[in-house]
Amino acid sequence: MKNNSYKIIDFNIIGDNLGKLIALENNNQIPFEVKRVYYIYDSLHHIIRGKHAHYNLQQLCICVSGSCSFLLDDCQEKNIVKLSSPTRGLYIKNLIWREIFDFSKDCVLLVLADDYYNENDYIRDYNHFINIAKENR
Ligand code: T46
């Protein structure tokens, strides 16, 4: 997989006797400017979410509670990344097919995105994704 298609970002933990804190800033720990935040919770263990790519959207996904796994596909290679810690984020560039699965009961997946919700940015047909991704390699 093109090594900049996605990356794991380990956050700096600010810890003291009160507990732990993680701070995320635009263009610092987050490799873009955030325009939208959403979170996914109460997903059933056996379901698969995602099953799409984005033409342009970049996102940073953080499992702030529990765990879930991502299948990432850049049209040449598929990798699985498990998120199970609030101390790391998964940065996903555009034109990456993703499927999210294996949700733990307590999973809360926080997603920071660089743009507003726009259904026209979604590629929901896998064959179409393959064609577009190959053209853009
Ligand atoms: C992604 C993965 C990780 C909105 O109205 N606003 C929003 O900001 C979002 C993200 C969704 N929606 C609506 C659209 C659908 O009617 O919420 C419904 C569920 O969305 P979707 O089926 O796209 O959910 P997932 O979990 O398959 O995908 C989401 C994001 O859409 C996607 O960008 O990368 O989480």
Side-chain angles (χ1 to χ4, degrees):
M1 193 172 271
K2 274 198 295 188
N3 54 12
N4 59 355
S5 302
Y6 75 89
K7 69 177 172 187
I8 296 286
I9 301 174
D10 284 306
F11 306 132
N12 187 37
I13 305 165
I14 306 166
D16 54 26
N17 58 2
L18 300 175
K20 293 180 178 131
L21 182 154
I22 287 174
L24 305 177
E25 296 179 351
N26 283 339
N27 301 316
N28 193 349
Q29 297 86 356
I30 308 165
F32 51 79
E33 302 240 341
V34 177
K35 281 197 180 162
R36 178 167 52 108
V37 175
Y38 61 92
Y39 41 96
I40 293 169
Y41 64 102
D42 266 0
S43 290
L44 297 176
H45 181 72
H46 62 274
I47 58 104
I48 302 177
R49 303 193 67 120
K51 294 187 185 168
H52 62 254
H54 286 281
Y55 285 103
N56 293 304
L57 194 72
Q58 304 176 71
Q59 302 195 101
L60 181 65
C61 306
I62 306 159
C63 212
V64 290
S65 166
S67 62
C68 64
S69 294
F70 280 70
L71 171 100
L72 301 168
D73 177 349
D74 71 349
C75 89
Q76 293 224 311
E77 219 180 297
K78 296 179 187 185
N79 286 315
I80 290 180
V81 173
K82 180 168 180 159
L83 290 183
S84 57
S85 167
T87 66
R88 49 179 30 186
L90 170 63
Y91 167 65
I92 310 175
K93 271 187 96 169
N94 64 328
L95 293 181
I96 303 296
W97 186 266
R98 81 285 317 266
E99 298 184 7
I100 310 136
F101 61 101
D102 204 14
F103 290 92
S104 66
K105 205 172 166 40
D106 56 348
C107 178
V108 181
L109 180 65
L110 176 71
V111 184
L112 314 180
D114 77 341
D115 211 346
Y116 303 115
Y117 176 70
N118 174 8
E119 185 56 37
N120 293 331
D121 189 62
Y122 284 70
I123 309 170
R124 295 196 183 270
D125 179 85
Y126 185 72
N127 292 329
H128 184 53
F129 158 70
I130 293 291
N131 291 336
I132 301 275
K134 281 184 178 161
E135 274 170 24
N136 283 275
R137 283 194 69 81

